[in-house]
């Protein structure tokens, strides 16, 4: 497995791979890999001849006061895991390589980025759509793989690919969880042992919501109230948002109908965690 840090070198390798008629699967990540990332990589290898994974902690998608500096990084560990998962090349550019002095071009989706994480992290999705466009241009994948864990991100990127007629398909794979239900995340490494216990509130409250819905509850306000009640019982937990929106347009609804997304962001201590559940009624 190769590790490439230059855009030029990555592009010339892509040219070589494509000239042999091979398909390219792409998994963009910020590294500190876990089974969520590795499942995307293994699936990419099943579906494509050649797999590129990027590891780039993108400063553009972090707000002021967020954890860009602290974000965990370990390229040595990541490259071993990625190789075992079938990755052919890791693309790990520096910030300077991606955003040289004078960089001034951005990509923005304007319809579904003003809610959920877009509302609490202004500028976040502009950073995501910009970096992913750049990565798509460099890697030229046939298929790109994303996780349902970041539900809004996957919706925004699908919209971007459609709106801008990008020449690839996005595949979204289910959230991979720890045995006790916690959604895997590189940020889980920030949690101490009591926070790790409290972090279970996210998946527990989604399960509770699912049970309420299975028992016939359709009132969005009631479901949100029950989730708030469960989470706010824990003094380590502080809700950023809990929302229930229609899919795929992320519109507010009063009653569940068809396909909906229950999405939440909760601070456990200083760590902001997200989780979500798709419900069909
Ligand atoms: P990140 O490194 O957090 O930017 O994530 C890179 C990719 O992995 C994104 O498409 C995420 O949605 C996906 N991902 C992160 N955590 C999980 C998880 N627990 N299950 C499935 N996919 C995940």
């Amino acid at each position: 497995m190769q590790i490439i840090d230059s855009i030029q070198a990555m592009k010339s390798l892509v040219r070589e791979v494509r000239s042999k008629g091979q398909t390219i699967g792409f998994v963009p990540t910020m590294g500190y890999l876990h089974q969520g990332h590795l499942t995307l990589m293994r699936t990419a290898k099943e579906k494509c001849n050649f797999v590129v994974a990027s590891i780039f902690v993108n400063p553009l998608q972090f707000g002021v006061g967020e954890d860009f500096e602290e974000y965990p990084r370990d390229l040595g560990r990541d490259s071993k895991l990625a190789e075992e998962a079938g990755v052919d090349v890791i693309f790990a550019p520096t910030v300077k390589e991606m955003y040289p002095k004078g960089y001034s071009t951005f990509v923005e989706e304007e319809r579904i980025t003003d809610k959920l994480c877009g509302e609490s992290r202004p500028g976040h999705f502009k950073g995501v759509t910009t970096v992913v466009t750049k990565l798509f241009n460099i890697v030229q994948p046939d298929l790109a793989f994303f996780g349902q864990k970041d539900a809004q991100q996957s919706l925004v990127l699908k919209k971007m690919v459609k709106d801008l007629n990008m020449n690839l398909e996005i595949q979204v794979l289910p959230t991979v969880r720890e045995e006790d239900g916690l959604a895997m995340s590189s940020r889980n490494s920030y949690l101490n042992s009591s926070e790790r216990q409290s972090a279970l509130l996210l998946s527990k409250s989604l399960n509770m919501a699912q049970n309420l819905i299975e028992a016939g509850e359709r009132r969005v306000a009631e479901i949100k109230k029950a989730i708030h009640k469960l989470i706010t019982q824990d003094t380590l937990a502080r809700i950023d948002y809990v929302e229930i929106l229609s899919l795929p347009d992320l519109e507010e609804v009063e009653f569940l109908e068809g396909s909906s997304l229950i999405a939440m962001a909760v601070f456990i201590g200083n760590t902001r965690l997200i989780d979500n559940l798709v419900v069909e009624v």
Side-chain angles (χ1 to χ4, degrees), residues 28-30 34 36-37 40 71 146-147 149-150 153 174-176 184:
T29 82
M30 298 204 299
H34 51 65
H37 300 118
L40 299 181
Y71 199 85
F146 293 87
K149 156 88 190 322
D150 298 87
Q153 171 173 280
T175 301
V176 177
M184 289 192 185

Side-chain angles (χ1 to χ4, degrees), residues 72-166:
R73 293 160 170 91
D74 189 344
L75 188 57
R77 171 182 171 276
D78 285 352
S79 39
K80 260 197 222 139
L81 292 169
E83 184 165 23
E84 283 162 18
V87 169
D88 295 287
V89 181
I90 287 184
F91 178 52
T94 60
V95 171
K96 228 172 146 192
E97 178 77 353
M98 289 294 271
Y99 304 116
K101 201 162 175 280
Y103 185 90
S104 60
T105 304
F106 303 91
V107 178
E108 218 168 346
E109 195 284 336
E110 295 190 340
R111 186 144 173 209
I112 52 173
T113 51
D114 62 346
K115 41 201 95 180
L116 306 177
C117 287
E119 191 175 355
S120 43
R121 303 181 70 189
H124 169 69
F125 284 113
K126 180 179 172 185
V128 170
T129 43
T130 299
V131 78
V132 171
T133 299
K134 284 172 68 70
L135 291 168
F136 284 173
N137 285 336
I138 296 163
V139 175
Q140 291 181 42
D142 298 278
L143 292 180
F145 297 83
F146 293 87
Q148 177 61 25
K149 156 88 190 322
D150 298 87
Q152 188 179 15
Q153 171 173 280
S154 296
L155 290 168
V156 169
L157 292 174
K158 275 188 164 177
K159 190 76 172 45
M160 177 185 88
V161 163
K162 182 165 177 256
D163 286 352
L164 296 182
N165 314 103
M166 291 180 170

